[in-house]
Amino acid sequence: MRAAVLYEANTPIVIEDVTLVGGPGRDEVLVRIAATGICHSDYHVVNGTWHGEDYPLPVVLGHEASAIVEEVGSDVKRLKRGDHVILSFVPTCGRCRFCASGEQHLCNGMAFKMGTLADGSRRLHKGDLTLYHFGAMSSYAEYSIVHESQAIPIPSDFPLDRAALIGCATMTGVGAVLNTAKVEPGSTMAVFATGGVGLNVVQGGVLASASKIIAIDLLDNKLEFARSVGATHTINSRRDDPIEAIREITGGVGVDYAFDAIGLPKVSRQAYDVTRRGGTTVVVGMAPTGDQILIPATIAGSSKTVKGCFYGSTRPSIDFPRLVDFDRRGQLQLDKIISKHYRLEDVNEAFDALHRGDNARGVMILATA
């Protein structure tokens, strides 16, 4: 099969013929990748900001995807050949403390570690070279094997490009609002960085009936994207101080909830600074390796809460179908998030566009139903 292989950071990704060894195990599913998103998490590996033993190379990237089931293992009962699925990059055991308490996104009961599939194995080969996996799936390839918990069935008439977004950007952004922060109706929000995740934080604010949704970015086109999906105010932080601007918008109080959707320490601190006393700052974006956030000791007196948000605090089997339903009813606008479709061989062009900030979200199409 064809796959996009990254051999070294800051070098072009290469389209290769690789081998996916073996069929699905008893609790696994072989899927044909239909669509897969161009995400900053993959780009962190491409440009080397994520590095070290947690991000081994060479690797087949990709973790935001929809797929079609080709074959199921002997113990898999809820899926069958031909099913359309959204893939989750967090395999879940259903038995560990986190799964039992409804925090499946934090599951630690699987053998999975960075660079492997859910069972801890590596099954991608280029000749004698064993490649690493990403997101327990490596969706920048024509096929993948995933644990059954990672394949969430959806209606066969739901567009597969939109479905791919639910696998990461939409789940992370909307989930940050609904699941992690639990934003109340009438609340005020600030969203720093309106890429694929940030735009879905904005949409989460609309779903939560926030009264003010303030979008902050460096690029005017990103702010236009944010307005198109529900932002009530926009601030270009290249021209205006976002802290002063948000204080003016909120009458000097600050926002109830501030979301850092990019994960840079400077931005996280800005989000903290615009959060009102007693409010909540949510760090959604994934920071470069080794970065730290400086929080002032006055946090005690301000009674602010700082929360990390991993994968929108998702329960995939519950949340993915719910997001599909939101989109089908027009309560999400996933079609507006997709700016451009790419082919697998366009992967480097797609990442260049991501770096420039051209797209709300680029999606690679590998197969149709």
Side-chain angles (χ1 to χ4, degrees):
M1 68 175 183
R2 295 186 309 153
V5 183
L6 177 69
Y7 287 97
E8 294 182 31
N10 294 301
T11 64
I13 297 171
V14 181
I15 305 302
E16 301 272 39
D17 288 322
V18 305
T19 302
L20 180 61
V21 176
R26 59 179 181 78
D27 57 358
E28 294 178 332
V29 182
L30 172 67
V31 297
R32 176 164 48 105
I33 302 297
T36 183
I38 306 298
C39 179
H40 261 103
S41 293
D42 301 288
Y43 189 58
H44 281 317
V45 182
V46 172
N47 69 11
T49 54
W50 285 358
H51 57 269
E53 62 182 17
D54 285 340
Y55 302 99
L57 301 174
V59 64
V60 175
L61 294 168
H63 67 284
E64 175 183 272
S66 60
I68 302 163
V69 174
E70 291 286 309
E71 184 181 348
V72 302
S74 59
D75 289 352
V76 177
K77 306 303 181 188
R78 64 183 184 86
L79 294 164
K80 65 183 184 305
R81 178 180 171 83
D83 282 351
H84 289 198
V85 294
I86 299 172
L87 300 185
S88 165
F89 62 80
V90 176
T92 58
C93 70
R95 301 178 301 274
C96 70
R97 174 177 180 174
F98 296 107
C99 286
S101 61
E103 298 176 293
Q104 289 96 325
H105 64 294
L106 301 178
C107 174
N108 66 355
M110 305 292 287
F112 163 76
K113 58 182 181 293
M114 293 302 292
T116 75
L117 293 178
D119 66 348
S121 69
R122 292 160 57 195
R123 304 188 214 173
L124 289 173
H125 296 268
K126 173 62 179 174
D128 294 333
L129 179 65
T130 302
L131 306 174
Y132 288 95
H133 298 266
F134 193 73
M137 69 174 77
S138 291
S139 61
Y140 291 175
E142 293 178 315
Y143 293 88
S144 181
I145 290 175
V146 297
H147 186 261
E148 64 172 321
S149 66
Q150 295 177 258
I152 309 303
I154 59 171
S156 60
D157 62 344
F158 189 74
L160 288 165
D161 56 349
R162 298 187 201 179
L165 299 187
I166 292 174
C168 177
T170 302
M171 185 65 255
T172 300
V174 173
V177 177
L178 301 185
N179 295 344
T180 306
K182 296 180 172 61
V183 171
E184 304 92 349
S187 298
T188 57
M189 287 174 43
V191 183
F192 286 80
T194 52
V197 171
L199 291 172
N200 282 290
V201 176
V202 170
Q203 295 207 88
V206 174
L207 285 167
S209 299
S211 61
K212 290 185 175 68
I213 304 171
I214 307 166
I216 306 97
D217 205 286
L218 297 168
L219 300 175
D220 286 334
N221 68 313
K222 293 293 190 70
L223 295 173
E224 285 303 313
F225 291 145
R227 278 198 177 276
S228 75
V229 295
T232 60
H233 301 74
T234 57
I235 300 166
N236 185 314
S237 55
R238 198 185 298 276
R239 295 192 296 266
D240 300 307
D241 180 345
I243 297 174
E244 292 301 320
I246 290 170
R247 285 176 179 160
E248 181 176 348
I249 292 168
T250 59
V253 175
V255 292
D256 300 312
Y257 297 91
F259 299 84
D260 170 13
I262 194 168
L264 296 177
K266 177 182 177 181
V267 176
S268 296
R269 178 56 190 270
Q270 288 177 325
Y272 178 87
D273 288 342
V274 303
T275 302
R276 67 163 174 82
R277 294 186 71 193
T280 300
T281 305
V282 184
V283 180
V284 186
M286 304 294 283
T289 301
D291 278 4
Q292 296 186 11
I293 302 169
L294 181 63
I295 299 296
T298 54
I299 188 173
S302 68
S303 294
K304 295 183 183 182
T305 299
V306 178
K307 303 188 74 170
C309 169
F310 177 59
Y311 206 1
S313 304
T314 183
R315 305 147 301 169
S317 61
I318 295 172
D319 291 324
F320 287 9
R322 179 168 66 158
L323 294 176
V324 167
D325 287 342
F326 282 150
D327 187 75
R328 288 166 78 104
R329 294 199 300 267
Q331 294 172 285
L332 282 175
Q333 303 180 73
L334 299 185
D335 57 327
K336 291 186 177 180
I337 301 293
I338 301 171
S339 301
K340 187 170 181 178
H341 292 110
Y342 297 91
R343 302 169 301 168
L344 181 64
E345 52 265 39
D346 299 327
V347 61
N348 291 300
E349 175 190 339
F351 276 118
D352 288 344
L354 176 70
H355 175 66
R356 293 191 301 267
D358 293 351
N359 297 325
R361 196 58 147 198
V363 176
M364 288 194 297
I365 305 298
L366 281 79
T368 56

